[in-house]
Amino acid sequence: MTDSRLVATEFGKSHKNVLRSIDAIQVDLSPEFWRLNFEPRDYADDRGKVQRMFTLTQAGFTALVMGFTGKKAVSLRERFIVAFQRVTAELARLKAQRAAPEWKPARLASKSDFLNVVEMLKECREAKGKITERHHYTNESKLMRFAFSGDTSTKWSRDNLSAEDLKLLAKIERLNMRMLARELSYSDRKAQCRALWLRETGFILEGGAA
């Protein structure tokens, strides 16, 4: 999906004029096509005033911008369409991945193991008289992101991982839980979780050689 405000921004038009173009093509489109590809919505502008906008499917976007002319318009149309195609392909890949029989059990196992990590973290801190706050749990999520990517800022979702990646994630989480019980520092746990991912994926050998 995209929306009329983004179209206006990218094509260098006022949103009012994009809405006018949408209103104009509605009379030439079938009610069914309109219903499926143009969704009216409201948003609050900078002054807090409620304004209208539309979300558009790829088909709706194409129908709208066919009338936009100029060299820049042609280039932007191509960019949007390529982006739509890329997202569509990725959604198809994820759908097929999640349809695999082993995916759902692996997803549930990884979630369960993370909850166990959270509980272990809380218990270990309580044993030391410490309060566990929200950022402590966030840090454990960052640790997992670092284990998988080497970067705590990398954004990913368990729902987008393959069954094999989910199984590896669960294995890393179980290692993290054991290290919490042994009271290893956060930096040590992070390093060892990353090392396990590297070994399991073949990036380094057991002896440490790349």
Side-chain angles (χ1 to χ4, degrees):
M1 304 289 285
T2 188
D3 65 64
S4 54
R5 295 175 69 196
L6 180 60
V7 170
T9 299
E10 293 297 319
F11 282 81
K13 297 177 178 291
S14 71
H15 188 229
K16 178 177 65 176
N17 287 339
V18 171
L19 290 177
R20 187 178 295 121
S21 295
I22 292 173
D23 292 338
I25 66 171
Q26 181 178 4
V27 298
D28 297 320
L29 299 173
S30 70
E32 182 69 3
F33 184 92
W34 176 264
R35 182 182 66 82
L36 293 173
N37 298 291
F38 293 83
E39 180 185 355
R41 292 175 54 195
D42 292 332
Y43 75 97
D45 64 16
D46 295 337
R47 297 169 296 174
K49 186 177 179 180
V50 175
Q51 304 282 4
R52 68 186 187 115
M53 62 178 287
F54 285 88
T55 54
L56 317 171
T57 65
Q58 180 176 356
F61 166 81
T62 303
L64 170 63
V65 301
M66 278 172 56
F68 293 178
T69 59
K71 186 175 180 179
K72 182 180 179 182
V74 172
S75 174
L76 287 168
R77 272 203 301 270
E78 178 183 344
R79 197 181 81 188
F80 267 84
I81 290 169
V82 168
F84 271 118
Q85 291 171 339
R86 188 182 301 118
V87 171
T88 299
E90 176 63 9
L91 290 174
R93 184 189 69 80
L94 291 174
K95 183 177 181 180
Q97 181 173 278
R98 294 170 191 171
E102 68 272 19
W103 186 85
K104 189 172 183 179
R107 176 67 178 86
L108 292 172
S110 77
K111 178 180 179 180
S112 175
D113 283 320
F114 183 71
L115 293 176
N116 289 336
V117 167
V118 165
E119 190 61 30
M120 178 63 71
L121 175 68
K122 185 178 179 181
E123 289 178 6
C124 290
R125 291 183 63 81
E126 283 180 350
K128 297 178 180 179
K130 296 180 178 180
I131 297 173
T132 306
E133 299 180 5
R134 185 173 181 176
H135 71 271
H136 293 113
Y137 301 130
T138 301
N139 285 341
E140 296 306 312
S141 294
K142 288 181 178 179
L143 189 152
M144 290 299 108
R145 292 203 294 268
F146 180 82
F148 263 67
S149 67
D151 182 0
T152 57
S153 65
T154 300
K155 300 295 184 182
W156 54 271
S157 167
R158 292 166 191 263
D159 289 336
N160 296 342
L161 298 178
S162 67
E164 288 305 311
D165 280 342
L166 286 168
K167 291 174 185 176
L168 176 53
L169 177 60
K171 188 172 183 178
I172 293 171
E173 286 169 334
R174 289 192 291 271
L175 170 63
N176 190 30
M177 187 167 63
R178 293 194 298 271
M179 291 190 293
L180 274 167
R182 290 162 50 201
E183 299 186 356
L184 269 67
S185 69
Y186 182 82
S187 59
D188 286 342
R189 291 189 291 116
K190 188 167 74 168
Q192 291 199 36
C193 286
R194 177 62 175 166
L196 175 58
W197 183 90
L198 291 169
R199 287 196 300 273
E200 291 288 326
T201 54
F203 279 83
I204 60 173
L205 304 178
E206 284 292 337

